[in-house]
DNA sequence: GAGTGGTCTAGACCACGCA
DNA sequence: GCGTGGTCTAGACCACTCT
C-alpha cells in the first residue's frame, strides 16, 4: 500500500514525492496552468496521481520553496508570476549599503535594440548553433535619477520571435518573457568581477573612464534548463552595492 | 490531542514544529551537543518534548536545510561541523569562470595579527561599545601559487580571548571559532563593490596600483544573531570570479 | 537484530477566503 | 458552509549502519 511505487509503468528509483514534483514541474513548464492560474487542489492531484495527499503536499512544498508556485491558505496554489515587484527582487540584488540595506528600484534610461547573428561567445553562453540569430539590447538603469547600471542583454531570437519589434521594453524583462513568450526564468547563474569603465561605460554612467565597475555576468535558465538570456551588467557601486545573504 | 499546543506553560502562537525548531537551535547554540556530536533520535526528542515524531522530524528537516545539523540515514543527526572543506565552500564563493566553474581552494600567504581598540566603524559593524577591543588580522590568500585575495578581518576580543596569541591561524578560521571558542557562524551578509587597488593592495597582490578589485564586505552572524566577525576582502578577479546561483 | 532516519499513508482539526 | 492549504498525529514499511 505504500513506498516506492512508480507513477509510470516502468518504475524508477526516485521517491514518490520527487516523481510527483517532476511531473508538476513538467506540467508548469508545458503551460498546463498559466502564470497566476490555480493548480488543482492537493486532494485532486493526489486522486489523479494515485498517491496520498501528504505526498502531493511534500512535492508542492518543494515547488513553493523554489518559488515556482505560491500557496495561499484558504485559496489554493498558483503558478508564480514574474510581476514587477516579484521578479525585480528575486534576481536583482542591488541595494543600498548597510545599515540602511533597503532594496533599490531602478528606473529605465535609454535603450537600444538590434538583431544580428550570434558571436562565438554568445553561441557558447546560450547553447546556440552557428548562424543562429540573437537580439541585443543595450540599456541604462537609473538609481535616484542618475545612471548606475549599464546592461547588455543577449536573447536567442528563436525563443523570442520579433521581440525587437517592441516599441518600449518594460523594466522587468522577465515578466515579458513569461507573459508574452511563455518562458519562465527558473534560476540564474552569475559571475562577478571588478572591471574598469571603458569610454562607452563612462559616457553612459557619467563617470570617469577607468573608474571601477562591478560587472555581473548572468545566464538565465528556464524551467527546462535551457539558457534563455545572457546579460552583462556593469554597475557603479559608489552608492549602491550587490548584497548577498548566506544562511 | 493535536494542534497548537505550547511546549512551555505560557502558549505562544507559533506552530509546534517551529517551537521545537527554536528549542533545538537554542540547545545547539548553548552547546548542549557539541559540533560533530549526535542529537537524540527523533523518537527520544518527541517523547521528551511531548510531541509526535512527525513534528520533531519537520523541525529537524528545517535544521538540516539551514545546514545546522547533518542527518545520516541509519546513524543519526549530528551538529554540523565547520570542517576545512565544508566551511570553505559554504561561505566562500570564489571559483573559476564558466564553463569550468570549479571551486577554488585558496592557500594561505603572509598574515599579521594585532590587538587594538575598535574604531567607530568597527563598533558599528560588530555591535561593540566604545573602548571595546578588537583583533585585526591581515592576510593574503593564494590561488595557483599567486596572490589573489587580501583580507582584513576584525574580531571582538571579548568573543575570542587571546586569539592573537596563536602562532599560526588556520586557513579556515570558522572551524577555529567553532572548535576553540564555541562560536558557530550561522550565516553571513555580504556587500560587493568594485574598487581600485591602493598601494598596499598592489604590493600584496602583485598588481598595478589602480587595478580594479572586487571588494567583499562581510559580517558573519552567530547562532544567537550576534555579529561575530567583520571581514573585508579584496580580490583580483582576472582569473577567478565570485559566483552566485539563484534558484 | 536493533536502532536510526527516509518515505508513505490516513485521518483529524484549524485558519483562512469566499460566496 | 464549503473548500483550500496548514498543522499534527499515529502507525507502517524501507534503507542504511553498526554490532
Amino acid at each position: 500500500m505504500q513506498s516506492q511505487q512508480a507513477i509510470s509503468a516502468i518504475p524508477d528509483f526516485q521517491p514518490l514525492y520527487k516523481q510527483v514534483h517532476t511531473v508538476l514541474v513538467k506540467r508548469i513548464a508545458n503551460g498546463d496552468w498559466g502564470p497566476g492560474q490555480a493548480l488543482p487542489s492537493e486532494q485532486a492531484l493526489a486522486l489523479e496521481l494515485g498517491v496520498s495527499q501528504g505526498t502531493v503536499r511534500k512535492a508542492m512544498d518543494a515547488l513553493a520553496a523554489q518559488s515556482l508556485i505560491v500557496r495561499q491558505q484558504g485559496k489554493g496554489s498558483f503558478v508564480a508570476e514574474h510581476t514587477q515587484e516579484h521578479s525585480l527582487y528575486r534576481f536583482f540584488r542591488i541595494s543600498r549599503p548597510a545599515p540602511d540595506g533597503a532594496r533599490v528600484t531602478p528606473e529605465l534610461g535609454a535603450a537600444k535594440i538590434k538583431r544580428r547573428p550570434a558571436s562565438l561567445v554568445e553561441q557558447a553562453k546560450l547553447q546556440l548553433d552557428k548562424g543562429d540569430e540573437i537580439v541585443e539590447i543595450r540599456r541604462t538603469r537609473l538609481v535616484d535619477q542618475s545612471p548606475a547600471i549599464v546592461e547588455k542583454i543577449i536573447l536567442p531570437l528563436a525563443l523570442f520571435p520579433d521581440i525587437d519589434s517592441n516599441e518600449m521594453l518594460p523594466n522587468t524583462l522577465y515578466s515579458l518573457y513569461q507573459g508574452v513568450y511563455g518562458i519562465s526564468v527558473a534560476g540564474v547563474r552569475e559571475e562577478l568581477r571588478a572591471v574598469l569603465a571603458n569610454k562607452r561605460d563612462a559616457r553612459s554612467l557619467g563617470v570617469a573612464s577607468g573608474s571601477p565597475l562591478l560587472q555581473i555576468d548572468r545566464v538565465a535558465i528556464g524551467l527546462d534548463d535551457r539558457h534563455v538570456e545572457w546579460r552583462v551588467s556593469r554597475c557603479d557601486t559608489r552608492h549602491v552595492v550587490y548584497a548577498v545573504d548566506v544562511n
Side-chain angles (χ1 to χ4, degrees), chain A residues 1-3 5 7 16-17 20 41-60:
Chain A
M1 185 101 90
Q2 77 298 330
S3 185
Q5 309 177 350
I7 291 171
L16 258 189
Y17 71 91
V20 172
S41 71
E42 297 178 353
Q43 275 296 359
L45 284 170
L47 205 63
E48 179 199 336
L49 299 172
V51 301
S52 83
Q53 190 195 11
T55 301
V56 173
R57 173 181 296 275
K58 194 160 180 180
M60 292 179 80

Side-chain angles (χ1 to χ4, degrees), chain A residues 5 9-10 14 30 40 47-48 51 53 59 74 78 118 129 139 145 169-170 182 201-202 206 210 219 229 244:
Chain A
Q5 309 177 350
I10 299 153
Q14 288 286 92
N30 190 44
L47 205 63
E48 179 199 336
V51 301
Q53 190 195 11
F78 305 85
D129 293 321
R139 60 181 192 174
Q145 274 81 52
L169 292 170
D201 300 329
V219 174
E229 179 205 73
V244 181

